[in-house]
Amino acid sequence: MERIRELPEEDRPREKLLKVGAENLTDGELLAILLRTGTNGKSALTLARELLKEFKGLKGISEASLRELTSFKGLGLAKAITLVAAFEVGKRVKRTGSPEKIRSPEEAFNLIRPIVETLKVEELGVITLNSRGGVIGVHRVARGGASRVSVAVKELLRPAVKDLATGIILFHNHPSGNPKPSPEDLELTRKVKKACNILGIELLDHIIATGEEFFSFRGEGLV
């Protein structure tokens, strides 16, 4: 059994990070630091390598649910929570470079892309904006299955009312990779627009995103 403390000091993940920097560690070494300890006769480094193999790399681990991670033999709840939290921090850091204002569908897509690009199920959310087009918040409202998500219009608009927003942009993803709107997407947009008119909130756009592409209702003249 490989034990980290039995490795040469320069090969131990923590010591190696101190010496050469995090950017020079392998994916397995970085994961081992997050895992902290091994389990069931395995070192943290061995466990990290097995995780990478099972989930086919860091991307696969970042997309895995808490249930999927804890089902991996040797990975308990505490370690799984640490991994989920670490990858979520990375996603949020990626979003910090997003514009403070939304001026185009492309900017809206770039804002939500880190949220939706790894999702395996449909998720619906709302970007709330002030009268100057400034982003107030990005709210993830509902999660569905692989091909559809259902939510009441009032739940979608709740963040806008809470944020005192003057405008909103709906967004959701299509895990299929095809951003073309379904009849249900068109009907939901119609209902939300009608409700927004009553509340005095402007529906600025509805973005349907995949990892690489997006469909803009405003860009197609549908809002």
Side-chain angles (χ1 to χ4, degrees):
M1 179 185 70
E2 179 188 52
R3 297 180 184 275
I4 288 180
R5 64 174 177 269
E6 295 173 354
L7 293 172
E9 186 171 316
E10 64 271 15
D11 291 334
R12 300 173 195 170
R14 291 186 182 86
E15 287 79 359
K16 186 174 179 181
L17 186 150
L18 287 170
K19 185 175 181 179
V20 301
E23 66 274 11
N24 292 307
L25 269 62
T26 66
D27 293 346
E29 289 167 338
L30 291 170
L31 279 178
I33 291 173
L34 290 173
L35 294 172
R36 296 186 62 196
T37 60
T39 185
N40 296 332
K42 299 176 183 177
S43 71
L45 192 55
T46 298
L47 185 60
R49 289 167 177 165
E50 291 180 354
L51 269 171
L52 287 166
K53 183 178 180 180
E54 175 68 19
F55 291 95
K56 297 179 174 58
L58 288 176
K59 187 174 186 294
I61 297 174
S62 74
E63 295 173 349
S65 66
L66 196 59
R67 178 178 294 182
E68 289 171 327
L69 290 172
T70 53
S71 69
F72 183 81
K73 187 176 180 180
L75 195 67
L77 182 60
K79 293 182 187 299
I81 287 173
T82 297
L83 292 180
V84 170
F87 282 110
E88 179 60 26
V89 167
K91 293 174 185 177
R92 294 188 184 192
V93 169
K94 189 175 179 180
R95 294 202 297 268
T96 58
S98 302
E100 293 184 356
K101 290 186 177 182
I102 299 294
R103 303 177 184 86
S104 67
E106 289 77 13
E107 288 185 344
F109 171 63
N110 289 334
L111 179 63
I112 65 168
R113 186 175 181 178
I115 297 174
V116 303
E117 65 183 349
T118 61
L119 293 176
K120 297 178 180 178
V121 297
E122 284 201 16
E123 193 166 298
L124 227 165
V126 178
I127 303 170
T128 54
L129 302 106
N130 60 31
S131 60
R132 298 181 300 278
V135 176
I136 301 172
V138 180
H139 304 271
R140 300 165 74 168
V141 178
R143 171 173 280 208
S147 61
R148 66 181 302 171
V149 57
S150 299
V151 62
V153 171
K154 65 178 181 180
E155 293 302 319
L156 270 178
L157 295 181
R158 192 184 301 277
V161 174
K162 184 178 179 181
D163 287 352
L164 301 178
T166 60
I168 63 168
I169 296 174
L170 291 183
F171 69 85
H172 79 280
N173 64 307
H174 279 180
S176 66
N178 180 2
K180 184 178 179 180
S182 66
E184 292 80 9
D185 295 334
L186 294 168
E187 178 63 13
L188 175 64
T189 306
R190 185 190 67 77
K191 289 180 178 179
V192 171
K193 184 175 177 63
K194 182 178 179 180
C196 281
N197 289 340
I198 294 172
L199 293 172
I201 298 171
E202 186 178 4
L203 176 60
L204 297 166
D205 206 343
H206 181 174
I207 300 291
I208 301 176
T210 68
E212 302 295 332
E213 300 178 283
F214 71 93
F215 180 95
S216 164
F217 277 64
R218 177 164 292 277
E220 297 299 323
L222 296 175
V223 293

